[in-house]
Amino acid sequence: MSTTNFATRRRTRVVLALLALLILAMIWELVQLQRLHALNAQIAAPGTAALPADAPPELRFAQAHALAAAGQREPALNQYRALQGDTPLGQAARYNSANLLLHQALEIRAGPQPGQAIPLIELAKETYRDLLRQDPGRWDARYNLERAQRLLPDPEEVEDTAPDAKRDAERAATTMRGYSPGLP
């Protein structure tokens, strides 16, 4: 019986150890869930206060969006620029910053000095092109690029080389009708 008691005690200890590990894992998951709920609450109601440097990118994106909605374009652009990268969130930040630039250009164009909108439109077009190089299927970026192109079309490419004047001069004399060069 002592071996049966020993085996039962051993099983009991293993079960208790597994239960303790399970309880610890559950506590860890609850703490993580509480952090995520707090982060979601911050994202749902972002403020315009400065965020800590280790703030999650999602929270910084939400703050940039809130800044843009509040009319604070420069801080919003700075937040979006800090997030730009190859991640989906970085691509969304690039797209939103290009949209902000385009909106700002439209407002400047309607003002007394519409020429100041040209650099903003060019920056927006370049950002849309970058997005389309990475993901040609982004129809929203394609559409906005087309709108920016309508506002400020790209200049036509000019040939760098001048036409060969010597060749054209020789040809002109031989192709002219009714011209006598004055030969005897």
Side-chain angles (χ1 to χ4, degrees):
M1 264 211 192
S2 66
T3 58
T4 311
N5 260 348
F6 180 72
T8 306
R9 284 183 189 170
R10 187 170 181 214
R11 283 186 206 141
T12 306
R13 286 182 188 156
V14 168
V15 168
L16 287 176
L18 287 175
L19 281 174
L21 284 174
L22 185 62
I23 290 172
L24 285 175
M26 204 166 69
I27 290 172
W28 173 258
E29 288 295 321
L30 286 174
V31 168
Q32 293 299 321
L33 185 64
Q34 185 180 12
R35 283 185 192 164
L36 288 175
H37 281 299
L39 179 63
N40 285 340
Q42 286 178 327
I43 289 173
T48 56
L51 292 175
D54 62 341
E58 293 85 1
L59 182 58
R60 292 185 297 175
F61 184 88
Q63 184 187 36
H65 184 71
L67 288 169
Q72 299 177 6
R73 286 194 179 115
E74 289 304 317
L77 283 171
N78 290 335
Q79 284 278 6
Y80 282 137
R81 283 188 191 114
L83 294 171
Q84 292 180 3
D86 291 335
T87 64
L89 187 71
Q91 298 298 319
R94 288 175 125 182
Y95 177 74
N96 285 358
S97 64
N99 287 345
L100 277 176
L101 290 170
L102 193 58
H103 283 281
Q104 189 174 3
L106 288 172
E107 287 180 5
I108 290 174
R109 241 181 127 193
Q113 297 177 336
Q116 291 181 348
I118 293 173
L120 297 174
I121 295 171
E122 288 295 332
L123 281 172
K125 287 192 320 187
E126 187 58 36
T127 304
Y128 290 134
R129 284 186 186 115
D130 286 344
L131 285 168
L132 289 170
R133 277 187 213 109
Q134 290 180 351
D135 183 10
R138 281 200 70 154
W139 292 104
D140 52 352
R142 188 175 304 276
Y143 175 78
N144 287 351
L145 175 61
E146 180 64 29
R147 286 188 63 202
Q149 288 282 42
R150 287 182 188 162
L151 291 173
L152 184 67
D154 288 333
E156 296 292 325
E157 286 189 28
V158 179
E159 277 191 40
D160 292 338
T161 59
D164 190 10
K166 190 181 240 184
R167 185 180 67 106
D168 289 341
E170 290 174 4
R171 189 167 178 215
T174 60
T175 59
M176 292 178 66
R177 292 186 183 183
Y179 174 74
S180 172
L183 294 173

